[in-house]
Amino acid sequence: MSAQALPADAARRGLAPQPGLAVVKLGGSVVRSRGLSAWLDVIAASPRPVVVVPGGGALADEVRAAQTKLGFGDGAAHRMALLAMDQLAWAVAGLRSGFEVGDTEDALRRTLSQGRVAVWAPYSLVSNRSDIPQSWTVTSDSLALWLGRRLGAECCYVIKSIERSRAQFSAEQLSRDGVVDEAFPSMLKEAGFPVFLLGRGDQAALAASLSAPGDTACGVTID
């Protein structure tokens, strides 16, 4: 399937931005890793408002396997993968006090206004949208950018269980390599904010960047 750009939502333009907001996408493999606790410690200590977007992880992998075996369509798989993200949102939020699950923009904004870390459960907000392709071209990677646009985020950090070998990455190459989904390059062009890739052991880089809004010292830009 070819990548598709997600159309801009006109209603989004009327939403107030959230000053300093950072979206942190935690890859599903990161959620299962030994480094998860250290990542959550950095997020909990952030002086900036943070919305966490967990991937679907092993639960989404099970959806892919079940689709291959049973043959149900992409629409069903799309909704099942969103529910996988919902489940990991509850898992992540259950690991730290001060983390709260939100399934709507209002719920996420309310959590942020209370000085808490918001963790997004996307099913309610995304499952029935006609402007989001219901296929594997769009996964939690692109949905993190989509949410960031709607909330007026200043930046997004995409955290993967990879070893970074350079300071700058091409979204197209990352997509071809299967690090991010097919729609990600198109979504990145529409995002309107910088997006950074972090890998194993990069907790200190995230902490430094979250502590200095506007600072790109973590040096892992996706273009």
Side-chain angles (χ1 to χ4, degrees):
M1 291 176 283
S2 61
Q4 302 179 52
L6 305 188
D9 188 333
R12 169 183 66 82
R13 302 188 185 102
L15 298 174
Q18 175 75 42
L21 175 64
V23 172
V24 177
K25 160 64 199 314
L26 288 176
S29 60
V30 175
V31 174
R32 303 194 304 272
S33 73
R34 294 180 179 178
L36 175 61
S37 181
W39 288 115
L40 297 183
D41 287 345
V42 170
I43 293 168
S46 172
R48 306 175 62 175
V50 173
V51 173
V52 175
V53 178
L59 299 177
D61 292 341
E62 285 296 319
V63 173
R64 291 178 185 267
Q67 184 181 24
T68 298
K69 183 176 181 178
L70 300 177
F72 51 78
D74 281 348
H78 173 74
R79 287 170 171 78
M80 293 166 71
L82 291 174
L83 289 170
M85 290 176 64
D86 277 20
Q87 291 183 69
L88 285 188
W90 284 102
V92 168
L95 293 173
R96 288 291 184 281
S97 61
F99 284 41
E100 184 172 323
V101 174
D103 60 355
T104 66
E105 292 170 34
D106 286 344
L108 295 171
R109 290 177 183 275
R110 184 166 56 252
T111 296
L112 295 172
S113 71
Q114 296 168 351
R116 299 164 67 85
V117 174
V119 185
W120 187 36
Y123 187 87
S124 295
L125 191 57
V126 172
S127 61
N128 291 316
R129 295 191 66 92
S130 61
D131 61 332
I132 295 181
Q134 296 187 9
S135 74
W136 292 107
T137 63
V138 176
T139 68
S140 53
D141 298 324
S142 286
L143 290 177
L145 301 186
W146 180 85
L147 181 68
R149 289 179 64 201
R150 293 192 64 87
L151 295 178
E154 287 195 354
C155 65
C156 177
Y157 301 91
V158 178
I159 301 174
K160 298 280 187 175
S161 291
I162 62 171
E163 296 291 343
R164 290 191 298 111
S165 59
R166 55 189 186 278
Q168 194 162 17
F169 293 83
S170 160
E172 286 77 9
Q173 187 61 55
L174 290 173
S175 180
R176 287 193 293 270
D177 291 344
V179 177
V180 297
D181 61 56
E182 291 181 51
F184 192 90
S186 296
M187 279 296 293
L188 180 63
K189 293 176 182 177
E190 300 291 332
F193 48 76
V195 180
F196 307 103
L197 179 67
L198 294 167
R200 284 189 290 268
D202 281 336
Q203 288 89 348
L206 177 63
S209 191
L210 288 173
S211 297
D215 183 11
T216 60
C218 60
V220 287
T221 307
I222 304 175
D223 61 13

